[in-house]
């Protein structure tokens, strides 16, 4: 074996050794790709999108109407229950329900009282109707005033009766543009124009409220000075008192009530 042959064999052996060493140290391309394609243990197979953050919006609730702080006054024609001062006529002396209902109906139809003689006749006509139909006219509860006078006599039904009322209940109806009639103990109103001590069973029309003075504005048929007569809120609320329909011989007292009159 000559020298060149020996050199050639040495180079071949060294090359074979290099190939074998490389195969042991570096994995094949297929093995590398397989390793890269396997997900790490516990990793998700699909990348989930990040949640979209949206701005928080707080909606403000509507501001409620506060009946304690708003002034309201409706134009309601006025009459006393005895327009000509004939208080000796029991139909007029006890005519507060009739006069209050009549004022409300004139308001509904945008009418005015132009002649006290005619107004007196109208109040008496309502009392006579009640006496004929129901046998009594002196005192009528809120329910019977609504049914007999508004419904029966005037044939007007755009009304409602509510019981166990509060000051805010009255103000809320006024703010809606509705008229309110309330039965009261007139003696608790302490009106200086009443024939003292005042009527025990009485009706008045409430047409407004003044928050600056905390007074209800009324049309009080119990006196000729009753137009736009103001009562302190606390005084009027304390005087609220419904009563049973009777000829005053066997009256009984009920809860507080109001008749709500709405225009068509």
């Amino acid at each position: 074996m000559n020298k060149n042959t020996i050199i050639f064999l040495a180079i071949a052996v060294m090359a074979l050794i290099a190939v074998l060493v490389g195969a042991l140290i570096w994995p094949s391309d297929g093995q590398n790709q397989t390793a890269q394609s396997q997900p790490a243990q516990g990793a998700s197979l699909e990348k989930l999108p990040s949640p979209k953050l949206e701005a928080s919006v707080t909606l403000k609730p509507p501001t409620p109407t506060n009946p304690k702080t708003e002034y309201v006054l409706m134009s309601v024609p006025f009459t006393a229950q005895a327009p000509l001062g004939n208080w000796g006529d029991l139909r007029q002396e006890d005519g507060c329900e009739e006069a209050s209902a009549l004022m409300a109906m004139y308001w509904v139809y945008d009418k005015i009282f132009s002649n006290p003689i005619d107004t007196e006749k109208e109040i008496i006509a309502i009392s006579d109707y009640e006496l004929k139909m129901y046998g009594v006219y002196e005192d009528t509860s809120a329910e019977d005033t609504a049914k007999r006078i508004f419904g029966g006599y005037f044939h007007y039904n755009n009304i409602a009766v509510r019981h166990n009322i509060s000051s805010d209940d009255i103000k809320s109806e006024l703010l809606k543009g509705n008229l309110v009639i309330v039965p009261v103990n007139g003696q608790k109103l302490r009106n200086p124009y009443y024939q003292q001590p005042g009527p025990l069973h009485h009706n008045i029309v409430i047409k407004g409220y003044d928050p600056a003075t905390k007074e209800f504005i009324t049309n009080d048929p119990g006196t000729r000075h009753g137009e736009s007569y103001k009562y302190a809120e606390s005084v009027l609320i304390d005087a609220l008192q419904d009563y049973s329909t009777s000829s005053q011989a066997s009256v009984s007292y009920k809860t507080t009530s109001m008749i709500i009159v709405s225009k068509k």
Side-chain angles (χ1 to χ4, degrees):
M1 183 179 297
N2 57 29
K3 184 178 181 180
N4 290 334
T5 301
I6 294 173
I7 294 174
F8 174 79
L9 290 173
I11 294 172
V13 170
M14 291 178 62
L16 179 60
I17 292 172
V19 170
L20 291 175
V21 171
L24 293 175
I25 296 176
W26 293 284
S28 65
D29 289 344
Q31 288 178 325
N32 191 37
Q33 289 174 358
T34 302
Q36 289 177 353
S37 63
Q38 293 294 326
Q41 185 176 4
S44 172
L45 295 178
E46 180 178 354
K47 184 178 182 182
L48 298 177
S50 300
K52 183 183 293 185
L53 298 179
E54 297 183 357
S56 176
V57 179
T58 302
L59 298 178
K60 294 181 65 177
T63 303
T65 300
N66 186 350
K68 297 180 180 179
T69 59
E70 295 191 34
Y71 180 91
V72 59
L73 178 62
M74 287 174 279
S75 178
V76 182
F78 171 78
T79 181
Q81 61 197 67
L84 297 174
N86 295 324
W87 293 94
D89 183 345
L90 294 181
R91 295 170 297 181
Q92 297 178 68
E93 181 181 350
D94 296 315
C96 59
E97 295 95 348
E98 292 79 4
S100 294
L102 188 60
M103 285 188 275
M105 292 309 301
Y106 267 55
W107 169 75
V108 166
Y109 293 114
D110 296 317
K111 297 173 63 177
I112 61 172
F113 295 108
S114 58
N115 188 329
I117 297 176
D118 293 337
T119 304
E120 182 185 75
K121 290 179 180 177
E122 289 189 89
I123 292 172
I124 292 174
I126 300 171
S127 297
D128 288 345
Y129 167 82
E130 293 176 275
L131 183 61
K132 178 181 178 181
M133 297 298 296
Y134 308 106
V136 61
Y137 65 84
E138 286 87 353
D139 288 320
T140 50
S141 66
E143 292 281 357
D144 284 342
T145 298
K147 294 175 183 177
R148 299 179 181 185
I149 300 179
F150 282 99
Y153 185 82
F154 288 111
H155 304 291
Y156 190 76
N157 297 308
N158 203 14
I159 57 173
V161 178
R162 288 183 59 186
H163 304 292
N164 298 316
I165 61 172
S166 67
S167 180
D168 283 352
D169 291 330
I170 299 174
K171 296 173 195 174
S172 294
E173 293 303 326
L174 294 173
L175 288 171
K176 294 175 187 176
N178 297 328
L179 207 58
V180 174
I181 297 174
V182 291
V184 294
N185 179 339
Q187 295 180 3
K188 289 186 175 182
L189 292 177
R190 302 191 294 274
N191 190 314
Y193 296 109
Y194 289 162
Q195 183 177 347
Q196 298 305 309
L200 187 59
H201 314 131
H202 193 43
N203 269 210
I204 60 176
V205 178
I206 303 179
K207 63 180 185 179
Y209 179 74
D210 186 346
T213 59
K214 295 185 178 180
E215 293 174 316
F216 282 106
I217 307 168
T218 73
N219 274 2
D220 186 339
T223 167
R224 61 187 176 90
H225 302 288
E227 184 173 11
S228 298
Y229 197 91
K230 292 185 176 182
Y231 286 108
E233 180 177 348
S234 59
V235 171
L236 189 145
I237 297 303
D238 181 62
L240 292 176
Q241 173 186 274
D242 201 357
Y243 40 82
S244 63
T245 299
S246 73
S247 58
Q248 298 184 356
S250 58
V251 66
S252 62
Y253 299 102
K254 299 183 177 182
T255 182
T256 58
S257 304
M258 66 178 173
I259 302 172
I260 304 164
V261 184
S262 304
K263 285 192 174 184
K264 289 184 176 180

